[in-house]
Amino acid sequence: MSTKPIIHVLAFDLGASSGRAMVGTLDRTAPEGPVLRIEEVHRFPNEPVQAGGHLYWDILRLLHEMKTGFRKASEGRDIESFGIDTWGVDYGLLGEDGELLGNPYHYRDGRTHDTVAKVHGIIGQDRLFTETGLQPLVFNTVMQLHAAAESGSVSLKHAKELLFIPDLLLYLLTGVKQSEYTIASTSQLLHAGKQEWHEELLSELGIPADILKPVVMPGTVVGALSDEVCAELKLPPIRAVAVPEHDTGAAVVSVPSTDGKPLAYLICGTWSLLGTELADPVLDPAALALGFSNEGGMGGTARTLKNIMGLWLIQECKREWDQSVTPRSFAELVKLAEEAPAFRSFIDPDDLLFLPPGGMPDRIRRYCRETGQPVPETEGEITRCIYESLAMQYRLVLARLEALTGNTYGGLHMMGGGIQNKFLCRMTASAIGRPVWAGPVEASSLGNMAAQLIALGEVADMTEARGLIKRSYPLDIYEPEQPEVWDEAFERYLSITKMSIMPGK
């Protein structure tokens, strides 16, 4: 541990629609004890590019924006280290000379649309889950690579190395090639709960195992900015830390829970991730049937969680409304929703009808029409339908999580940008019938920073890091309201969506 009263670290937090460069400042001079302050120094869009019938990430634009982030972060500060977290599953391929073989595919690209059935025909659904711990989602890395192998992809044939998106960006900045554990755990290429590639599975699917790099655990200093990048940016060789590079893995580090009791978290953004932190993955067949996955966490823990479609639904509606009617802010849409009738219509947020972009308001109307419900027409009615349905889905998934783990959760830690929507937080507390502890907003960035501070020896461990975050960012607490009304509405939700807490029981 250093004796410096002020320590600055830089977190790059890249989501599926935007990225940020965030400076974290560990301030040991605060009267209440050390605190971790956060400042956004650069924000930039992350927009996919459609070309030649495929959807790609503009990886070099992201690299350019990150370099701008380094410049801005270093104005008047000495940055001790940096780390990168992003969405999961996507990757880039490097050739013999270490150069990138084309732009990485976007996980919503359509080339894998029929791959799950093909992979199940080779591996078997039950075996695939019990051996990897992940749901067989159409965009998982294993599906992308099998589709590439089956199509005779020239890039895959010539690839010498595969790097997941945060590792690819780290390589372009430092020259270091690695596979960080939490991001690798989203690929469905690892043995469940282990830091080992499943080479037998890879062989059966025609995927070359030798392109995968050794797995590195988060919380490790792995290198520094390359000489070339230092010269370009006129910066010293800032240390690079392998943080939990999957943004959900980073966010879970920042759960402000220090009492040692079982915890349940909801990371609320474009996707909603509701789960818990365990010593070992849950590989029960019921977990497969209920859509739960097991990803890797800081310290080798298992993140047993369920992906829920999340704020993608309202983001897509707003995008369409902004093009056809008077643009409204999210806050204005919430106000319209508050004025709309309650519990009029529900959707299953995870219905595959809502996965593709485009036409979201009409898709929601179609779902309601086909399920015999009143069809929401106005912006307020559709917005309320989305938020009430999300709250109900959170209740359902939390109940299923308790059934799978045998744990009872006293409340729900709700984190991420979505908690700025107090309307949704209130609804969630009422839906689950227990408190919602909301905070922090910048969960992924703070978890990224905490992992850097642990790697640097400035913070001892996860427990101290969570206490630091809890002290730095007090929680907003939402208590349930009108429990009988919400219980009755939840039964209607289950009836409309044809779901139950434990199917078959």
Side-chain angles (χ1 to χ4, degrees):
M1 180 182 293
S2 72
T3 58
K4 294 180 181 179
I6 303 290
I7 303 289
H8 300 296
V9 296
L10 175 59
F12 290 101
D13 178 27
L14 277 61
S17 58
S18 66
R20 295 94 50 77
M22 312 285 281
V23 171
T25 301
L26 176 61
D27 182 358
R28 294 193 173 106
T29 68
E32 65 272 30
V35 294
L36 180 57
R37 309 189 194 282
I38 191 167
E39 178 186 354
E40 179 183 299
V41 294
H42 184 52
R43 177 181 286 267
F44 47 93
N46 181 17
E47 298 172 337
V49 178
Q50 189 83 35
H54 289 288
L55 197 62
Y56 301 95
W57 295 108
D58 192 350
I59 197 72
L60 297 183
R61 168 53 57 179
L62 295 178
L63 176 65
H64 170 79
E65 297 289 359
M66 290 174 69
K67 288 178 178 179
T68 300
F70 272 109
R71 291 188 182 98
K72 291 183 177 181
S74 300
E75 292 174 358
R77 305 180 190 89
D78 292 326
I79 302 297
E80 299 289 338
S81 65
F82 74 95
I84 306 167
D85 67 82
T86 77
W87 67 97
V89 307
D90 290 333
Y91 59 89
L93 298 172
L94 303 181
E96 184 78 52
D97 55 3
E99 292 193 6
L100 187 62
L101 299 175
N103 278 307
Y105 286 102
H106 190 291
Y107 63 83
R108 293 188 191 272
D109 180 70
R111 77 196 192 287
T112 61
H113 71 279
D114 60 351
T115 304
V116 173
K118 293 178 179 178
V119 168
H120 284 168
I122 299 169
I123 302 297
Q125 182 177 6
D126 292 345
R127 179 188 163 206
L128 185 64
F129 177 76
T130 57
E131 294 189 11
T132 68
L134 266 65
Q135 285 294 313
L137 301 176
V138 68
F139 46 70
N140 286 354
T141 315
V142 70
M143 305 301 174
Q144 296 192 44
L145 287 172
H146 180 65
E150 190 180 52
S151 69
S153 164
V154 174
S155 294
L156 185 59
K157 284 181 181 178
H158 290 280
K160 297 302 178 184
E161 292 162 310
L162 178 150
L163 297 178
F164 297 100
I165 294 296
D167 290 321
L168 176 58
L169 291 165
L170 187 79
Y171 163 67
L172 294 172
L173 290 164
T174 67
V176 173
K177 299 172 184 175
Q178 64 169 34
S179 291
E180 185 276 324
Y181 176 50
T182 67
I183 200 74
S185 76
T186 70
S187 68
Q188 209 162 25
L189 300 173
L190 289 174
H191 285 280
K194 299 180 181 178
Q195 296 88 53
E196 301 171 6
W197 300 114
H198 198 318
E199 294 190 9
E200 181 183 351
L201 182 148
L202 292 166
S203 176
E204 291 179 49
L205 294 175
I207 300 169
D210 60 356
I211 64 175
L212 298 168
K213 307 303 293 181
V215 175
V216 173
M217 294 304 288
T220 307
V221 177
V222 293
L225 289 179
S226 67
D227 293 343
E228 178 185 76
V229 172
C230 289
E232 177 190 354
L233 301 182
K234 298 180 174 56
L235 291 175
I238 298 171
R239 287 174 286 181
V241 174
V243 299
E245 290 183 354
H246 185 216
D247 50 12
T248 307
V252 172
V253 174
S254 73
V255 176
S257 175
T258 56
D259 59 10
K261 295 179 180 178
L263 62 87
Y265 57 80
L266 170 61
I267 300 159
C268 190
T270 300
W271 289 92
S272 289
L273 296 308
L274 198 157
T276 190
E277 187 176 57
L278 301 170
D280 299 298
V282 177
L283 303 176
D284 189 298
L288 171 63
L290 295 175
F292 282 82
S293 279
N294 300 275
E295 297 170 352
M298 184 91 170
T301 55
R303 293 180 287 117
T304 299
L305 54 82
K306 172 75 168 65
N307 281 25
I308 301 167
M309 201 75 75
L311 299 180
W312 162 257
L313 298 161
I314 191 65
Q315 291 165 354
E316 278 294 290
C317 286
K318 183 179 184 301
R319 186 170 67 85
E320 182 150 323
W321 290 330
D322 285 351
Q323 295 170 358
S324 56
V325 296
T326 303
R328 301 184 193 274
S329 67
F330 286 112
E332 289 171 326
L333 290 174
V334 166
K335 188 172 187 305
L336 292 174
E338 289 177 321
E339 296 168 354
F343 307 130
R344 188 167 178 264
S345 308
F346 296 114
I347 60 171
D348 172 3
D350 291 329
D351 193 295
L352 293 179
L353 176 66
F354 306 121
L355 182 61
M360 192 63 73
D362 285 340
R363 293 170 194 259
I364 290 170
R365 294 188 184 102
R366 174 183 158 190
Y367 183 98
C368 293
R369 188 180 303 112
E370 292 179 352
T371 51
Q373 303 179 81
V375 177
E377 297 293 346
T378 67
E379 293 161 87
E381 289 170 351
I382 291 173
T383 301
R384 184 157 195 133
C385 172
I386 290 171
Y387 288 141
E388 286 181 343
S389 299
L390 284 174
M392 294 300 184
Q393 189 71 350
Y394 298 156
R395 172 171 174 166
L396 175 62
V397 173
L398 183 62
R400 288 175 168 177
L401 185 66
E402 289 183 322
L404 285 172
T405 64
N407 291 331
T408 299
Y409 303 105
L412 184 62
H413 287 277
M414 199 165 168
M415 305 180 296
I419 68 171
Q420 296 173 96
N421 184 335
K422 296 182 179 181
F423 184 54
L424 179 58
C425 293
R426 292 201 312 270
M427 282 187 166
T428 301
S430 295
I432 67 174
R434 59 194 98 177
V436 159
W437 304 301
V441 173
E442 300 293 354
S444 294
S445 294
L446 285 166
N448 181 322
M449 295 166 184
Q452 291 185 58
L453 292 169
I454 291 171
L456 297 177
E458 302 294 341
V459 170
D461 52 26
M462 284 259 289
T463 300
E464 184 177 330
R466 285 174 167 166
L468 173 67
I469 291 168
K470 186 175 183 178
R471 182 167 57 251
S472 305
Y473 297 91
L475 301 174
D476 291 324
I477 301 174
Y478 298 86
E479 297 289 348
E481 303 171 6
Q482 299 180 297
E484 296 86 0
V485 174
W486 280 89
D487 287 347
E488 181 181 344
F490 181 62
E491 293 304 318
R492 280 188 51 232
Y493 176 76
L494 294 178
S495 175
I496 289 164
T497 58
K498 298 186 176 3
M499 292 190 285
S500 60
I501 291 175
M502 293 297 284
K505 296 184 180 180

